[in-house]
Amino acid sequence: MYKIARIQIYLILATALFLQGGAVNYVAISGAKPDLPLMAVIFFGLFLGPAAGLESGLAAGLLKDIFALDFFWINTITLGLTGFVIGAINTQFFKESKRADFIFVLIFTAFAMSLHYSIAVVLSDSIALGFLEFFKSSIIPTAIYTGLVSIPVYSKLLDVYKLKETEEYL
Amino acid sequence: MRTVKRNKILKILAVIIFSVILISTSKTIISPQRAGIIDLLSVPLKAIHSFFGSARNIMPFASLREENRLLRERINLLARKIDELKMVAAENDRLKDLINFRKTIPFATIPAQVIGRDPSNWSNSIIIDKGLTGGVKQGRAVLSTKGLVGRVLEVGRYSSKILLITDPNSKVGVMIQRNRHGGILAGRPDGKCRMVYIALDSDVAVGDKVITAGFGAIFPKDILVGEVVRVDKEPGRLYKSAVIKTAEDLSRLEEVLCIK
């Protein structure tokens, strides 16, 4: 059972996508911008479990696929899988620490972006971008930026939804 | 009895005469004394006057408070209007630039507004408000006043998706303006581009302008793409590469021109 109502999960995802397509472009630092939908998916996976992680990942990914000029389904697969994986391992870690949350977001943003790159390279024969260059120019700055943004956002969401580390939602 | 009456009349007459004499001499006798008294009193009088004058100025009369509130509201309204006008002026300037640029290029173009952006961190694309009904065709180049933007990839009836030159799937034939050495411009997700396959003997340098080469049917020749910001030459590679900063800040585009 969800601690957060399903409609609220979708509202948070929609807000994250809306901001990602607009305001986030204005806070980009040398091309790097935080990935808010991915950050929301990691949050749901981390605090609500694998089902919520998978569901929110599939929904956010599908919406991304509709609006992006990317291979269709690539974001659905990437975000769905990321949400599920983080949900599946969420009971093995202590999450009540801002530092731990930052590290989780950092690692899983890098994981999702690497997964996206791998699928894109398999599907496309025209990508001239090497993984190392992509890792240095995009993955590291985006993961750090998303991780930093997640610290106040997660803290606020945890306060709003009163999600404490109890067995109720694990 | 008669004598008493006459005395009374004489007394009254004397008082009248005395008064007339007093009045007629008052200017010369009393004025200096009076002036002295007024001089003496002028300092406290002045202080009292200035105190009441100041008090009158600072007294929060109800009417002044109301007038103040109305004026503040008016100031807020005018400030908002000034902000709106500034935005309109900025838009006007941008549109003027767009019209002037449109006149200078030898292609028929369709102006369009950017209405959406890619929410993905991998691809770089924009959505514009013109589609098939506006005359936009798939595969045509898209420009801004400063240079190349991308190409039309998907066309709807009333909107189109533009693949920006910074998208990893975008490839554009380009050359260095100074020495006409060619290469391929490939996008990167961080919003920059990399020019690859530059000949090893090419003297490409930081600051060189990069323009379209005009190979193929999509991008017309000699359109400014950007500027070289770094040149890389990795050992063992047969070609050089360069990082290119696009002429237009593609993350903040608001209006574009689609070539017909």
Side-chain angles (χ1 to χ4, degrees), chain B:
Chain B
M1 186 74 182
R2 241 175 131 179
T3 315
V4 173
K5 202 173 179 182
R6 200 168 43 198
N7 281 346
K8 214 173 183 179
I9 292 166
L10 279 172
K11 274 179 188 171
I12 291 168
L13 205 67
V15 167
I16 291 168
I17 290 164
F18 182 74
S19 298
V20 169
I21 291 165
L22 203 66
I23 289 166
S24 63
T25 57
S26 66
K27 274 189 182 169
T28 52
I29 299 169
I30 296 175
S31 279
Q33 283 77 12
R34 195 168 60 181
I37 292 165
I38 289 169
D39 277 348
L40 203 68
L41 290 174
S42 68
V43 177
L45 274 175
K46 222 183 262 180
I48 291 165
H49 176 77
S50 67
F51 171 76
F52 280 107
S54 306
R56 204 169 36 232
N57 285 340
I58 58 167
M59 280 275 265
F61 291 114
S63 61
L64 284 180
R65 252 204 306 267
E66 178 62 14
E67 193 180 346
N68 191 21
R69 189 185 64 80
L70 289 172
L71 286 172
R72 276 179 195 282
E73 276 179 12
R74 201 166 165 73
I75 287 169
N76 289 339
L77 186 77
L78 290 172
R80 271 205 304 276
K81 280 201 171 165
I82 287 169
D83 285 344
E84 280 171 22
L85 286 173
K86 273 184 187 167
M87 280 187 339
V88 171
E91 190 182 6
N92 192 27
D93 287 345
R94 283 201 314 273
L95 292 174
K96 258 190 208 162
D97 286 348
L98 204 69
I99 290 167
N100 291 338
F101 178 71
R102 217 178 149 193
K103 282 178 192 162
T104 60
I105 53 171
F107 329 104
T109 53
I110 303 155
Q113 275 204 317
V114 177
I115 55 168
R117 285 176 190 281
D118 200 324
S120 149
N121 247 338
W122 168 260
S123 55
N124 282 312
S125 63
I126 52 171
I127 302 169
I128 56 167
D129 66 342
K130 294 276 167 65
L132 283 171
T133 51
V136 177
K137 287 177 188 148
Q138 195 178 12
R140 296 298 164 90
V142 179
L143 316 172
S144 76
T145 50
K146 289 179 185 161
L148 188 67
V149 167
R151 66 187 154 104
V152 182
L153 206 74
E154 285 177 9
V155 190
R157 277 177 74 81
Y158 306 107
S159 65
S160 305
K161 275 186 184 175
I162 312 298
L163 185 77
L164 299 178
I165 52 173
T166 49
D167 188 281
N169 287 303
S170 166
K171 302 282 171 294
V172 185
V174 291
M175 59 185 175
I176 305 291
Q177 192 179 35
R178 181 171 53 83
N179 56 21
R180 317 301 280 182
H181 283 172
I184 303 284
L185 188 85
R188 292 196 332 188
D190 63 348
K192 291 196 183 83
C193 297
R194 183 172 279 278
M195 186 176 168
V196 290
Y197 304 127
I198 306 170
L200 273 179
D201 61 347
S202 167
D203 64 338
V204 56
V206 172
D208 277 346
K209 299 269 185 248
V210 178
I211 54 171
T212 51
F215 307 141
I218 295 175
F219 300 105
K221 201 176 175 179
D222 291 339
I223 293 174
L224 183 66
V225 173
E227 194 179 289
V228 176
V229 289
R230 200 181 76 214
V231 181
D232 295 327
K233 191 187 158 213
E234 289 167 33
R237 288 279 176 105
L238 295 172
Y239 299 97
K240 281 183 190 173
S241 68
V243 177
I244 310 296
K245 187 182 174 220
T246 54
E248 178 69 84
D249 182 359
L250 299 179
S251 64
R252 291 174 188 196
L253 266 180
E254 291 191 47
E255 289 94 18
V256 293
L257 291 172
C258 303
I259 291 179
K260 273 188 183 172

